[in-house]
Amino acid sequence: MCGIVGYIGNREATPILLSGLKRLEYRGYDSAGLALLEDLQAAISSNGHSTQLLSAHQLVIEKCKGKVTDLEELSARNPHLSTIGIGHTRWATHGAPSDVNAHPHTDQSGKIAIIHNGIIENYSQIKKHLISRGHIFQTETDTEVLAHLIGEFFEQSHNLTEAVRLSLNEVVGAYGIAVISSENPDEIVVARKGSPLVIGVGNDNDYFVASDAAAIIAHTRQVIYLSDNEMATITRSGIKTRTISNVEITKTIEHIEMELEAIEKGGFDHFMLKEIYEQPRTITDAMRGRVVEEEGNVVLGGLENHLRELRRVNRILITACGTSFHAGLIGKYMIEQYARIPVDIEYASEFRYRNPIVGDDDVMFAISQSGETADTLAALREGKRKGALGLGIVNVVGSTIARESDGGVYIHAGPEIGVASTKAFTSQLTVFALITIMLGRMRHLSVVDGRAMIRELLALPDKVQQTIENTEQQVKQIAEIFKDATNFLYLGRGYNYPAALEGALKLKEISYIHAEGYPAAEMKHGPIALIDENMPVVFVAPHDDVYEKILSNIQEVRARKGHVIAIATEGDEQITELAEQVIFIPETIPMLTPILSVVPLQLLAYYMATARGCNVDQPRNLAKSVTVE
Ligand code: M6R
């Protein structure tokens, strides 16, 4: 996830671009940059009789690793006058955060600059082709490849819009882009597919571009939203819109009513809710470019150098904290069921001080959204010190755990701002499913079974979307009923036991209600003593291998007058006779059920917290990244 800003008009571009980038920075970006077309007004043409002052433009790039304030300082040290420019804040995907990998990127001629949100999936093929044609690349980014491709087409037509359009026809992946060229100083070309892009229409022949209206709302509330596969050429005298297959289209200008702060959260009241809503996309991003459906297999770039160890491994260790630990527990169940490799999982804080037994042949996965959690980092170091291959499953690119791992898999969930982790969890589970398929296919999993699992995985984003749409209002009502409860029990079995733990953690964190997660069958060994008419019990009971067993546990709670809220599979009529409240989720294979069942649990925690007036995004005593012991 990155941020895009652009400006063309009669005012100085730099302050407009920098203030727009600052408004996008709440998402925690790692580097930032500007491209400006500086009007030199100094080129002299002489025919021997007269001289003429020509307006010549020079492309200026200013970019650096770090925050927008670092870019601001850089820009103040090297001021450039310009009335057209584009700016970017980056959240690294391809290539670590660094000055050189920061956007904008330029083409081979150095005359075209591009900023890009998204991922170009076929960039390596395009890169090979361009290298064979003599192109030289400065960075590891997919975006630079697109810049060079545009440059290649521009050489043929000297028409920037056409060069961008033809390039996008070659590209597979997601993008929101803005492009400028020193040869076309009166235009910005923008396009989108899968990554938002909005054009702001100002009052004074000036136009703005942004990936999020928050960046331009201070200048105009009149906007045009581009849809997927649409592009626009913006000049000081107007906007021309077309599809990338070159059909001219007319777009309507819309008025934005929302307040700045609301737009910064994408229209959601809280980052947490926004992030719950992002999950269909973040799950897709976790799988993007990684599944080979035909072969029933998975390719994970960050593990490619360790396939030999993974083929031979006899024991896997997983270590993590909090929500990431719950994802790891489910990962253990997946790997043991389908790859038949023994998996030990342990809280990182325990592992690091316990003198654990680790062998040279062990493979260790350290799971962390932030990649900075002190205990997880220390556990990873301890495992590696004792001989294990240390792999990371991390969200934040370039974080310490990512850097210190021998390899690993990024979950690509984008910045998670809500302190209560939501989308990172479902992306971690998606990545564990991919790892499971890969390890399984190295062993006993057939191509047919691999394909079936991949089909179920690919269907998940739509099912998560349905789950959000179908359950949100019902969950809100349930929260109203139970908002004054002081205790909650969350019970599940098999794959959904860790989902129950996660549901309880979410409730505790943001609503401050005491909640316990338990394997459902363990209830009779103690927690059953707590059950009376004041105890709500959430059963995570989708149709899976242990469904019949959990029905008995529900009966036990009902017999003691506990209030039963069940998460069940659509069409399950049996459970409606037992539970007071049934929240239905779509059907999937058992190993993937937690990815669906956790969604209403996240919503329940969210609506319980808001009904109790709690600060959802900044719960007391918690920090997003726990970098101390
Ligand atoms: O960044 P990490 O995944 O390493 O963080 C681990 C825990 O601190 C984190 O999951 C925490 O429990 C969250 N607040 C859960 O919502």
Side-chain angles (χ1 to χ4, degrees), residues 119-135 137 141-153 166-173 175:
I119 299 171
I120 305 299
E121 288 166 24
N122 60 339
Y123 81 102
S124 52
Q125 291 103 295
I126 297 173
K127 192 170 183 175
K128 263 188 217 143
H129 167 72
L130 290 172
I131 288 172
S132 74
R133 292 183 54 79
H135 286 249
F137 291 89
T141 65
D142 51 342
T143 304
E144 191 190 10
V145 175
L146 182 54
H148 279 237
L149 187 61
I150 293 170
E152 180 88 358
F153 280 112
L166 292 173
S167 301
L168 294 180
N169 277 293
E170 303 284 317
V171 150
V172 178
Y175 51 79

mmCIF file of all heavy atoms in Angstrom, residues 119-135 137 141-153 166-173 175:
data_model
loop_
_atom_site.group_PDB
_atom_site.id
_atom_site.type_symbol
_atom_site.label_atom_id
_atom_site.label_comp_id
_atom_site.label_asym_id
_atom_site.label_seq_id
_atom_site.Cartn_x
_atom_site.Cartn_y
_atom_site.Cartn_z
ATOM 1 N N ILE A 119 0.878 -4.021 -7.585
ATOM 2 C CA ILE A 119 1.947 -4.988 -7.883
ATOM 3 C C ILE A 119 1.844 -5.386 -9.348
ATOM 4 O O ILE A 119 0.770 -5.783 -9.810
ATOM 5 C CB ILE A 119 1.797 -6.256 -7.001
ATOM 6 C CG1 ILE A 119 1.901 -5.906 -5.514
ATOM 7 C CG2 ILE A 119 2.837 -7.303 -7.369
ATOM 8 C CD1 ILE A 119 1.551 -7.045 -4.569
ATOM 9 N N ILE A 120 2.942 -5.270 -10.085
ATOM 10 C CA ILE A 120 2.980 -5.758 -11.470
ATOM 11 C C ILE A 120 3.458 -7.203 -11.404
ATOM 12 O O ILE A 120 4.622 -7.476 -11.106
ATOM 13 C CB ILE A 120 3.941 -4.914 -12.348
ATOM 14 C CG1 ILE A 120 3.582 -3.427 -12.282
ATOM 15 C CG2 ILE A 120 3.944 -5.425 -13.783
ATOM 16 C CD1 ILE A 120 2.209 -3.052 -12.759
ATOM 17 N N GLU A 121 2.533 -8.127 -11.641
ATOM 18 C CA GLU A 121 2.863 -9.540 -11.408
ATOM 19 C C GLU A 121 3.825 -10.102 -12.451
ATOM 20 O O GLU A 121 4.646 -10.958 -12.136
ATOM 21 C CB GLU A 121 1.576 -10.377 -11.398
ATOM 22 C CG GLU A 121 0.763 -10.137 -10.137
ATOM 23 C CD GLU A 121 -0.654 -10.675 -10.261
ATOM 24 O OE1 GLU A 121 -0.880 -11.588 -11.062
ATOM 25 O OE2 GLU A 121 -1.529 -10.143 -9.563
ATOM 26 N N ASN A 122 3.689 -9.657 -13.703
ATOM 27 C CA ASN A 122 4.555 -10.231 -14.748
ATOM 28 C C ASN A 122 5.771 -9.349 -15.017
ATOM 29 O O ASN A 122 6.306 -9.325 -16.123
ATOM 30 C CB ASN A 122 3.755 -10.462 -16.039
ATOM 31 C CG ASN A 122 3.160 -9.181 -16.600
ATOM 32 O OD1 ASN A 122 2.997 -8.214 -15.867
ATOM 33 N ND2 ASN A 122 2.835 -9.169 -17.875
ATOM 34 N N TYR A 123 6.219 -8.627 -13.975
ATOM 35 C CA TYR A 123 7.310 -7.682 -14.215
ATOM 36 C C TYR A 123 8.612 -8.384 -14.596
ATOM 37 O O TYR A 123 9.394 -7.851 -15.378
ATOM 38 C CB TYR A 123 7.508 -6.754 -13.005
ATOM 39 C CG TYR A 123 8.309 -7.343 -11.869
ATOM 40 C CD1 TYR A 123 9.645 -6.994 -11.688
ATOM 41 C CD2 TYR A 123 7.753 -8.252 -11.005
ATOM 42 C CE1 TYR A 123 10.390 -7.535 -10.660
ATOM 43 C CE2 TYR A 123 8.487 -8.794 -9.962
ATOM 44 C CZ TYR A 123 9.806 -8.432 -9.803
ATOM 45 O OH TYR A 123 10.542 -8.968 -8.793
ATOM 46 N N SER A 124 8.810 -9.623 -14.073
ATOM 47 C CA SER A 124 10.114 -10.230 -14.378
ATOM 48 C C SER A 124 10.207 -10.632 -15.851
ATOM 49 O O SER A 124 11.266 -10.475 -16.466
ATOM 50 C CB SER A 124 10.433 -11.393 -13.450
ATOM 51 O OG SER A 124 9.380 -12.290 -13.435
ATOM 52 N N GLN A 125 9.074 -11.091 -16.430
ATOM 53 C CA GLN A 125 9.121 -11.404 -17.874
ATOM 54 C C GLN A 125 9.382 -10.142 -18.698
ATOM 55 O O GLN A 125 10.212 -10.140 -19.612
ATOM 56 C CB GLN A 125 7.796 -12.013 -18.376
ATOM 57 C CG GLN A 125 7.490 -13.398 -17.884
ATOM 58 C CD GLN A 125 6.440 -13.361 -16.778
ATOM 59 O OE1 GLN A 125 6.694 -12.811 -15.702
ATOM 60 N NE2 GLN A 125 5.272 -13.936 -17.008
ATOM 61 N N ILE A 126 8.658 -9.064 -18.326
ATOM 62 C CA ILE A 126 8.821 -7.812 -19.088
ATOM 63 C C ILE A 126 10.258 -7.305 -18.934
ATOM 64 O O ILE A 126 10.893 -6.853 -19.883
ATOM 65 C CB ILE A 126 7.804 -6.747 -18.599
ATOM 66 C CG1 ILE A 126 6.370 -7.223 -18.850
ATOM 67 C CG2 ILE A 126 8.036 -5.414 -19.300
ATOM 68 C CD1 ILE A 126 5.290 -6.330 -18.254
ATOM 69 N N LYS A 127 10.769 -7.442 -17.708
ATOM 70 C CA LYS A 127 12.134 -6.962 -17.442
ATOM 71 C C LYS A 127 13.147 -7.699 -18.328
ATOM 72 O O LYS A 127 14.020 -7.080 -18.937
ATOM 73 C CB LYS A 127 12.449 -7.166 -15.960
ATOM 74 C CG LYS A 127 13.688 -6.465 -15.477
ATOM 75 C CD LYS A 127 13.778 -6.534 -13.961
ATOM 76 C CE LYS A 127 14.971 -5.778 -13.445
ATOM 77 N NZ LYS A 127 15.015 -5.721 -11.988
ATOM 78 N N LYS A 128 12.974 -9.045 -18.388
ATOM 79 C CA LYS A 128 13.905 -9.834 -19.219
ATOM 80 C C LYS A 128 13.889 -9.338 -20.653
ATOM 81 O O LYS A 128 14.928 -9.160 -21.293
ATOM 82 C CB LYS A 128 13.468 -11.316 -19.198
ATOM 83 C CG LYS A 128 14.225 -12.136 -18.195
ATOM 84 C CD LYS A 128 13.911 -13.616 -18.343
ATOM 85 C CE LYS A 128 13.864 -14.233 -16.968
ATOM 86 N NZ LYS A 128 12.852 -15.247 -16.803
ATOM 87 N N HIS A 129 12.655 -9.122 -21.150
ATOM 88 C CA HIS A 129 12.509 -8.670 -22.534
ATOM 89 C C HIS A 129 13.202 -7.316 -22.730
ATOM 90 O O HIS A 129 13.937 -7.108 -23.708
ATOM 91 C CB HIS A 129 11.006 -8.571 -22.864
ATOM 92 C CG HIS A 129 10.712 -7.837 -24.123
ATOM 93 N ND1 HIS A 129 10.979 -8.374 -25.362
ATOM 94 C CD2 HIS A 129 10.205 -6.582 -24.343
ATOM 95 C CE1 HIS A 129 10.643 -7.489 -26.297
ATOM 96 N NE2 HIS A 129 10.166 -6.395 -25.706
ATOM 97 N N LEU A 130 12.995 -6.414 -21.763
ATOM 98 C CA LEU A 130 13.581 -5.075 -21.904
ATOM 99 C C LEU A 130 15.104 -5.131 -21.785
ATOM 100 O O LEU A 130 15.813 -4.415 -22.500
ATOM 101 C CB LEU A 130 12.983 -4.130 -20.849
ATOM 102 C CG LEU A 130 11.499 -3.765 -21.065
ATOM 103 C CD1 LEU A 130 10.962 -2.988 -19.869
ATOM 104 C CD2 LEU A 130 11.311 -2.946 -22.344
ATOM 105 N N ILE A 131 15.607 -6.013 -20.911
ATOM 106 C CA ILE A 131 17.072 -6.149 -20.788
ATOM 107 C C ILE A 131 17.653 -6.614 -22.121
ATOM 108 O O ILE A 131 18.680 -6.118 -22.581
ATOM 109 C CB ILE A 131 17.433 -7.104 -19.626
ATOM 110 C CG1 ILE A 131 17.142 -6.411 -18.285
ATOM 111 C CG2 ILE A 131 18.899 -7.538 -19.692
ATOM 112 C CD1 ILE A 131 17.258 -7.297 -17.062
ATOM 113 N N SER A 132 16.915 -7.548 -22.762
ATOM 114 C CA SER A 132 17.405 -8.045 -24.052
ATOM 115 C C SER A 132 17.413 -6.919 -25.095
ATOM 116 O O SER A 132 18.106 -6.992 -26.095
ATOM 117 C CB SER A 132 16.563 -9.231 -24.534
ATOM 118 O OG SER A 132 15.312 -8.759 -25.001
ATOM 119 N N ARG A 133 16.652 -5.868 -24.831
ATOM 120 C CA ARG A 133 16.646 -4.729 -25.764
ATOM 121 C C ARG A 133 17.570 -3.605 -25.284
ATOM 122 O O ARG A 133 17.508 -2.476 -25.759
ATOM 123 C CB ARG A 133 15.228 -4.189 -25.930
ATOM 124 C CG ARG A 133 14.323 -5.185 -26.664
ATOM 125 C CD ARG A 133 12.937 -4.623 -26.884
ATOM 126 N NE ARG A 133 12.932 -3.330 -27.551
ATOM 127 C CZ ARG A 133 13.087 -3.133 -28.849
ATOM 128 N NH1 ARG A 133 13.289 -4.176 -29.646
ATOM 129 N NH2 ARG A 133 13.052 -1.914 -29.357
ATOM 130 N N GLY A 134 18.388 -3.925 -24.287
ATOM 131 C CA GLY A 134 19.424 -2.973 -23.875
ATOM 132 C C GLY A 134 19.070 -2.102 -22.683
ATOM 133 O O GLY A 134 19.831 -1.213 -22.312
ATOM 134 N N HIS A 135 17.903 -2.332 -22.072
ATOM 135 C CA HIS A 135 17.537 -1.496 -20.922
ATOM 136 C C HIS A 135 18.395 -1.854 -19.706
ATOM 137 O O HIS A 135 18.704 -3.018 -19.468
ATOM 138 C CB HIS A 135 16.065 -1.689 -20.571
ATOM 139 C CG HIS A 135 15.141 -1.033 -21.550
ATOM 140 N ND1 HIS A 135 14.371 0.059 -21.227
ATOM 141 C CD2 HIS A 135 14.888 -1.292 -22.858
ATOM 142 C CE1 HIS A 135 13.662 0.430 -22.286
ATOM 143 N NE2 HIS A 135 13.958 -0.386 -23.295
ATOM 144 N N PHE A 137 18.519 -1.425 -15.501
ATOM 145 C CA PHE A 137 17.642 -1.087 -14.370
ATOM 146 C C PHE A 137 18.474 -0.706 -13.144
ATOM 147 O O PHE A 137 19.533 -1.278 -12.900
ATOM 148 C CB PHE A 137 16.716 -2.273 -14.062
ATOM 149 C CG PHE A 137 15.692 -2.486 -15.148
ATOM 150 C CD1 PHE A 137 15.968 -3.302 -16.240
ATOM 151 C CD2 PHE A 137 14.471 -1.835 -15.102
ATOM 152 C CE1 PHE A 137 15.046 -3.467 -17.252
ATOM 153 C CE2 PHE A 137 13.533 -1.993 -16.110
ATOM 154 C CZ PHE A 137 13.821 -2.816 -17.190
ATOM 155 N N THR A 141 12.549 -2.853 -8.200
ATOM 156 C CA THR A 141 11.097 -2.669 -8.158
ATOM 157 C C THR A 141 10.412 -3.088 -9.452
ATOM 158 O O THR A 141 10.989 -3.028 -10.536
ATOM 159 C CB THR A 141 10.739 -1.196 -7.890
ATOM 160 O OG1 THR A 141 11.191 -0.420 -9.007
ATOM 161 C CG2 THR A 141 11.398 -0.683 -6.621
ATOM 162 N N ASP A 142 9.138 -3.491 -9.289
ATOM 163 C CA ASP A 142 8.304 -3.772 -10.457
ATOM 164 C C ASP A 142 7.949 -2.472 -11.177
ATOM 165 O O ASP A 142 7.766 -2.446 -12.394
ATOM 166 C CB ASP A 142 7.033 -4.529 -10.033
ATOM 167 C CG ASP A 142 6.282 -3.862 -8.893
ATOM 168 O OD1 ASP A 142 6.870 -3.017 -8.200
ATOM 169 O OD2 ASP A 142 5.096 -4.176 -8.694
ATOM 170 N N THR A 143 7.909 -1.368 -10.419
ATOM 171 C CA THR A 143 7.484 -0.086 -10.996
ATOM 172 C C THR A 143 8.479 0.432 -12.022
ATOM 173 O O THR A 143 8.095 0.973 -13.064
ATOM 174 C CB THR A 143 7.309 0.944 -9.860
ATOM 175 O OG1 THR A 143 6.389 0.396 -8.923
ATOM 176 C CG2 THR A 143 6.788 2.262 -10.388
ATOM 177 N N GLU A 144 9.770 0.242 -11.737
ATOM 178 C CA GLU A 144 10.766 0.732 -12.695
ATOM 179 C C GLU A 144 10.604 0.019 -14.043
ATOM 180 O O GLU A 144 10.811 0.610 -15.103
ATOM 181 C CB GLU A 144 12.188 0.524 -12.144
ATOM 182 C CG GLU A 144 13.228 1.253 -12.981
ATOM 183 C CD GLU A 144 14.656 0.881 -12.634
ATOM 184 O OE1 GLU A 144 14.876 -0.088 -11.873
ATOM 185 O OE2 GLU A 144 15.569 1.556 -13.146
ATOM 186 N N VAL A 145 10.190 -1.251 -13.979
ATOM 187 C CA VAL A 145 9.981 -2.011 -15.216
ATOM 188 C C VAL A 145 8.859 -1.358 -16.031
ATOM 189 O O VAL A 145 8.970 -1.181 -17.251
ATOM 190 C CB VAL A 145 9.644 -3.485 -14.884
ATOM 191 C CG1 VAL A 145 9.298 -4.256 -16.149
ATOM 192 C CG2 VAL A 145 10.819 -4.139 -14.161
ATOM 193 N N LEU A 146 7.797 -0.954 -15.335
ATOM 194 C CA LEU A 146 6.688 -0.298 -16.039
ATOM 195 C C LEU A 146 7.147 1.037 -16.630
ATOM 196 O O LEU A 146 6.784 1.386 -17.759
ATOM 197 C CB LEU A 146 5.508 -0.106 -15.067
ATOM 198 C CG LEU A 146 4.241 0.512 -15.645
ATOM 199 C CD1 LEU A 146 3.734 -0.238 -16.869
ATOM 200 C CD2 LEU A 146 3.137 0.538 -14.580
ATOM 201 N N ALA A 147 7.986 1.768 -15.893
ATOM 202 C CA ALA A 147 8.505 3.046 -16.405
ATOM 203 C C ALA A 147 9.258 2.814 -17.714
ATOM 204 O O ALA A 147 9.063 3.534 -18.706
ATOM 205 C CB ALA A 147 9.416 3.694 -15.370
ATOM 206 N N HIS A 148 10.105 1.781 -17.718
ATOM 207 C CA HIS A 148 10.898 1.504 -18.926
ATOM 208 C C HIS A 148 10.007 1.060 -20.080
ATOM 209 O O HIS A 148 10.262 1.390 -21.235
ATOM 210 C CB HIS A 148 11.952 0.437 -18.625
ATOM 211 C CG HIS A 148 13.166 0.993 -17.951
ATOM 212 N ND1 HIS A 148 14.443 0.869 -18.459
ATOM 213 C CD2 HIS A 148 13.294 1.708 -16.802
ATOM 214 C CE1 HIS A 148 15.307 1.461 -17.652
ATOM 215 N NE2 HIS A 148 14.631 1.973 -16.621
ATOM 216 N N LEU A 149 8.961 0.299 -19.746
ATOM 217 C CA LEU A 149 8.061 -0.168 -20.808
ATOM 218 C C LEU A 149 7.361 1.033 -21.455
ATOM 219 O O LEU A 149 7.247 1.116 -22.688
ATOM 220 C CB LEU A 149 7.031 -1.139 -20.203
ATOM 221 C CG LEU A 149 6.119 -1.855 -21.190
ATOM 222 C CD1 LEU A 149 6.910 -2.721 -22.165
ATOM 223 C CD2 LEU A 149 5.106 -2.724 -20.429
ATOM 224 N N ILE A 150 6.928 1.969 -20.612
ATOM 225 C CA ILE A 150 6.277 3.169 -21.144
ATOM 226 C C ILE A 150 7.273 3.936 -22.027
ATOM 227 O O ILE A 150 6.931 4.398 -23.125
ATOM 228 C CB ILE A 150 5.751 4.057 -19.980
ATOM 229 C CG1 ILE A 150 4.611 3.335 -19.254
ATOM 230 C CG2 ILE A 150 5.270 5.412 -20.502
ATOM 231 C CD1 ILE A 150 4.168 3.981 -17.938
ATOM 232 N N GLY A 151 8.521 4.021 -21.551
ATOM 233 C CA GLY A 151 9.555 4.715 -22.330
ATOM 234 C C GLY A 151 9.756 4.070 -23.690
ATOM 235 O O GLY A 151 9.932 4.751 -24.710
ATOM 236 N N GLU A 152 9.731 2.754 -23.706
ATOM 237 C CA GLU A 152 9.908 1.985 -24.951
ATOM 238 C C GLU A 152 8.798 2.345 -25.950
ATOM 239 O O GLU A 152 9.065 2.611 -27.119
ATOM 240 C CB GLU A 152 9.869 0.495 -24.585
ATOM 241 C CG GLU A 152 10.044 -0.466 -25.723
ATOM 242 C CD GLU A 152 11.504 -0.803 -26.004
ATOM 243 O OE1 GLU A 152 12.386 -0.250 -25.314
ATOM 244 O OE2 GLU A 152 11.744 -1.574 -26.946
ATOM 245 N N PHE A 153 7.551 2.381 -25.475
ATOM 246 C CA PHE A 153 6.438 2.734 -26.370
ATOM 247 C C PHE A 153 6.487 4.219 -26.751
ATOM 248 O O PHE A 153 6.117 4.599 -27.860
ATOM 249 C CB PHE A 153 5.092 2.410 -25.713
ATOM 250 C CG PHE A 153 4.716 0.950 -25.809
ATOM 251 C CD1 PHE A 153 4.674 0.144 -24.681
ATOM 252 C CD2 PHE A 153 4.406 0.376 -27.037
ATOM 253 C CE1 PHE A 153 4.337 -1.194 -24.757
ATOM 254 C CE2 PHE A 153 4.064 -0.972 -27.127
ATOM 255 C CZ PHE A 153 4.027 -1.751 -25.986
ATOM 256 N N LEU A 166 -0.653 1.538 -24.121
ATOM 257 C CA LEU A 166 -0.101 0.311 -24.719
ATOM 258 C C LEU A 166 0.665 -0.500 -23.668
ATOM 259 O O LEU A 166 0.595 -1.725 -23.649
ATOM 260 C CB LEU A 166 0.810 0.660 -25.901
ATOM 261 C CG LEU A 166 0.063 1.242 -27.117
ATOM 262 C CD1 LEU A 166 1.053 1.732 -28.177
ATOM 263 C CD2 LEU A 166 -0.886 0.210 -27.728
ATOM 264 N N SER A 167 1.354 0.184 -22.784
ATOM 265 C CA SER A 167 2.101 -0.530 -21.737
ATOM 266 C C SER A 167 1.140 -1.275 -20.821
ATOM 267 O O SER A 167 1.386 -2.437 -20.457
ATOM 268 C CB SER A 167 2.914 0.451 -20.892
ATOM 269 O OG SER A 167 3.798 1.153 -21.707
ATOM 270 N N LEU A 168 0.060 -0.612 -20.446
ATOM 271 C CA LEU A 168 -0.878 -1.253 -19.510
ATOM 272 C C LEU A 168 -1.539 -2.474 -20.141
ATOM 273 O O LEU A 168 -1.960 -3.391 -19.435
ATOM 274 C CB LEU A 168 -1.924 -0.248 -19.026
ATOM 275 C CG LEU A 168 -1.344 0.883 -18.173
ATOM 276 C CD1 LEU A 168 -2.427 1.848 -17.727
ATOM 277 C CD2 LEU A 168 -0.587 0.342 -16.957
ATOM 278 N N ASN A 169 -1.601 -2.474 -21.443
ATOM 279 C CA ASN A 169 -2.144 -3.658 -22.109
ATOM 280 C C ASN A 169 -1.196 -4.854 -22.017
ATOM 281 O O ASN A 169 -1.584 -5.985 -22.256
ATOM 282 C CB ASN A 169 -2.485 -3.341 -23.569
ATOM 283 C CG ASN A 169 -3.848 -2.676 -23.677
ATOM 284 O OD1 ASN A 169 -4.872 -3.294 -23.408
ATOM 285 N ND2 ASN A 169 -3.867 -1.402 -24.017
ATOM 286 N N GLU A 170 0.051 -4.590 -21.680
ATOM 287 C CA GLU A 170 1.040 -5.679 -21.555
ATOM 288 C C GLU A 170 1.139 -6.190 -20.119
ATOM 289 O O GLU A 170 1.776 -7.195 -19.857
ATOM 290 C CB GLU A 170 2.440 -5.172 -21.937
ATOM 291 C CG GLU A 170 2.575 -4.581 -23.316
ATOM 292 C CD GLU A 170 2.612 -5.654 -24.377
ATOM 293 O OE1 GLU A 170 3.305 -6.657 -24.165
ATOM 294 O OE2 GLU A 170 1.913 -5.504 -25.402
ATOM 295 N N VAL A 171 0.541 -5.447 -19.213
ATOM 296 C CA VAL A 171 0.817 -5.673 -17.802
ATOM 297 C C VAL A 171 -0.244 -6.554 -17.145
ATOM 298 O O VAL A 171 -1.429 -6.417 -17.402
ATOM 299 C CB VAL A 171 0.873 -4.268 -17.119
ATOM 300 C CG1 VAL A 171 0.432 -4.316 -15.693
ATOM 301 C CG2 VAL A 171 2.272 -3.700 -17.247
ATOM 302 N N VAL A 172 0.205 -7.488 -16.294
ATOM 303 C CA VAL A 172 -0.723 -8.260 -15.463
ATOM 304 C C VAL A 172 -0.507 -7.787 -14.027
ATOM 305 O O VAL A 172 0.626 -7.714 -13.573
ATOM 306 C CB VAL A 172 -0.399 -9.768 -15.548
ATOM 307 C CG1 VAL A 172 -1.327 -10.571 -14.638
ATOM 308 C CG2 VAL A 172 -0.479 -10.269 -16.982
ATOM 309 N N GLY A 173 -1.577 -7.470 -13.349
ATOM 310 C CA GLY A 173 -1.406 -7.051 -11.964
ATOM 311 C C GLY A 173 -2.328 -5.915 -11.598
ATOM 312 O O GLY A 173 -3.332 -5.662 -12.263
ATOM 313 N N TYR A 175 -2.702 -1.782 -10.390
ATOM 314 C CA TYR A 175 -1.989 -0.514 -10.423
ATOM 315 C C TYR A 175 -2.933 0.661 -10.244
ATOM 316 O O TYR A 175 -4.084 0.640 -10.631
ATOM 317 C CB TYR A 175 -1.212 -0.342 -11.748
ATOM 318 C CG TYR A 175 -2.050 -0.587 -12.985
ATOM 319 C CD1 TYR A 175 -2.935 0.381 -13.470
ATOM 320 C CD2 TYR A 175 -1.963 -1.800 -13.661
ATOM 321 C CE1 TYR A 175 -3.709 0.139 -14.592
ATOM 322 C CE2 TYR A 175 -2.741 -2.052 -14.777
ATOM 323 C CZ TYR A 175 -3.615 -1.081 -15.245
ATOM 324 O OH TYR A 175 -4.394 -1.331 -16.336
#
